[in-house]
Amino acid sequence: MEIVVITILFIALLYALYHIKVTTQHIKEIIRLLKEYRTGNLSAMLFLKGKGIVGELALLINNVLDSNQRQIEKAEEKTQMLEATLRGMSDGVLMTDKNGNVILANQTLKKLLGIKTSPEGKKIPEVIRNNELLELFKEAMDTWEIISEEIEISINQKDIFVMVTAVPMYSATAVTGVVFTLQDITRLKRLEEMRKDFVANVSHEIKTPLTAIRASAETLIDTSLEDKEHALRFLNMIKTHSERLNALVEDLLTLSRIELGDMPIEKTAFNPEEAIDTVILTFKERAESKGLQIRKNIPAGTNTIIGDKNKVIQILINLVDNSIKFTETGTITIGITKNEKILILYVEDTGIGIPKDHLDRLGERFYRVDRARSRELGGTGLGLAIVKHLINLHGWQMKIESTVGKGTKVSIITS
Ligand SMILES: Nc1ncnc2c1ncn2[C@@H]1O[C@H](COP(=O)(O)OP(=O)(O)OP(=O)(O)O)[C@@H](O)[C@H]1O
Ligand SMILES: [Mg+2]
């Protein structure tokens, strides 16, 4: 009997020892897994065969780890989406904490501000040296409100205009930081300035001949009708100024049609000499009356050019018109040079010339070297703008060379 009891006890002891060993192994396995998980292996799983409490524990741990992993994946997905959005944004984004330390800046911002090193961890003024931006940060922190303002920032000695929006980030009780978005509006500002300049210029150009027409008409009404000679003078004045008004409107319409893309180029092969002859015929009388010689210089064998003949004539007319206006003595040459495969059409004069520092700006609407002198000669500064546009429409290039007191040469490089 005793032997039986001892045997049962022994078996029970053996079973208990076996159980303890298995449980210890399982717990060790759980510890190993949790350690692995802590070091970053988020896909680690428990594969325990045991049933009972340890099995239940393993199942529970697996479930917790699994849902944890899914949450982490979701968070990562969100971060990636956020990063992609920030990367793809055309606006610069700068995020700071409540102390004004930069937490994040997107690629657009770095490009906009020419930042080479990482701005994270730096204070706002170290990244963007601008007081107004700092003020915006303080205001957003104090008021908890979204604020927008247009500011001018100087970067590498260049000024840019940006529309800044400061959005405070807050928890239930405090502002935790500010997100700035910076939209580059430099081009818009320049366009706006150009528009204002344009309106001012057009108004001015229209006003001058209109005033002259009105004054002449008033004088005619008041005094000169009986005096035929006087009357003729004022009528001629009216005629000249109406012609000028007409020319201005025509030029403006041409420019606007070109800019609206409403002026198609119809390229054909034609003989450039024909175009040159038409232009010479147009100006012969005017040149002669000023004592100027007008001639052509075409190398033998030049028989074709591919372009829009009427527009080439228009280009040459505007150039020769300038040459006659700005030349007192000498010659105006319309010519062609051939440089390997490139054909260059040019108009050269022996006139007053253009100072070097003006050359880059020629071709801007209403740009004149000597405003008063050009206006006196009946010019509004639209001729070269039209020439430049027509040359660009062909895909050609314009080159202006000039020496003050010696003359000017405008070349059309057709290639
Ligand atoms: N051949 C030239 N010689 C000297 N100056 C020139 C010559 N061509 C152009 N310029 C200068 O460039 C300016 C711009 O020329 P542009 O043809 O655009 O205007 P404009 O002749 O004054 O007026 P518009 O052509 O509208 O009647 C002129 O006002 C003049 O100052
Ligand atoms: Mg002109």
Side-chain angles (χ1 to χ4, degrees), residues 251 318-319 321-323 325-327 349 351-354 362-364 367-370 374-375 378-385 402 408 410:
D251 281 354
N318 285 12
L319 294 179
D321 179 60
N322 283 351
S323 285
K325 265 196 301 197
F326 300 103
T327 306
D349 63 53
I352 60 169
I354 303 162
L362 292 179
E364 284 177 26
Y367 191 81
R368 282 157 293 188
V369 176
D370 179 341
S374 295
R375 195 173 297 134
T380 39
L382 292 175
L384 279 182
S402 190
T408 303
V410 184

Side-chain angles (χ1 to χ4, degrees), residues 3 23 70-71 76 84 90 129 153 168 181 225 240 304 344 348:
I3 284 232
T23 308
R70 256 182 282 132
Q71 273 181 17
E76 268 175 2
S90 56
R129 214 166 290 160
I153 304 177
T181 56
L225 268 185
T240 310
T304 46
I344 301 171
E348 190 171 16

Side-chain angles (χ1 to χ4, degrees), residues 11-68:
I11 289 168
L13 186 68
L14 277 182
Y15 181 75
L17 279 175
Y18 169 75
H19 211 74
I20 288 169
K21 195 178 168 217
V22 169
T23 308
T24 312
Q25 264 173 3
H26 284 172
I27 290 173
K28 273 187 184 162
E29 178 63 9
I30 291 171
I31 292 172
R32 190 195 57 75
L33 170 102
L34 290 175
K35 277 185 179 165
E36 212 178 307
Y37 195 81
R38 199 178 54 186
T39 57
N41 180 6
L42 304 185
S43 58
M45 281 292 221
L46 272 176
F47 295 102
L48 298 183
K49 285 193 194 121
K51 285 188 179 152
I53 193 111
V54 174
E56 228 175 272
L57 179 66
L59 197 68
L60 193 65
I61 288 175
N62 271 345
N63 283 345
V64 169
L65 295 189
D66 194 37
S67 90
N68 226 9

Side-chain angles (χ1 to χ4, degrees), residues 213-233:
I213 291 170
R214 202 176 132 186
S216 305
E218 278 170 3
T219 319
L220 270 174
I221 293 167
D222 290 346
T223 57
S224 307
L225 268 185
E226 281 87 52
D227 182 345
K228 213 174 164 199
E229 202 181 309
H230 256 84
L232 213 59
R233 225 182 75 213

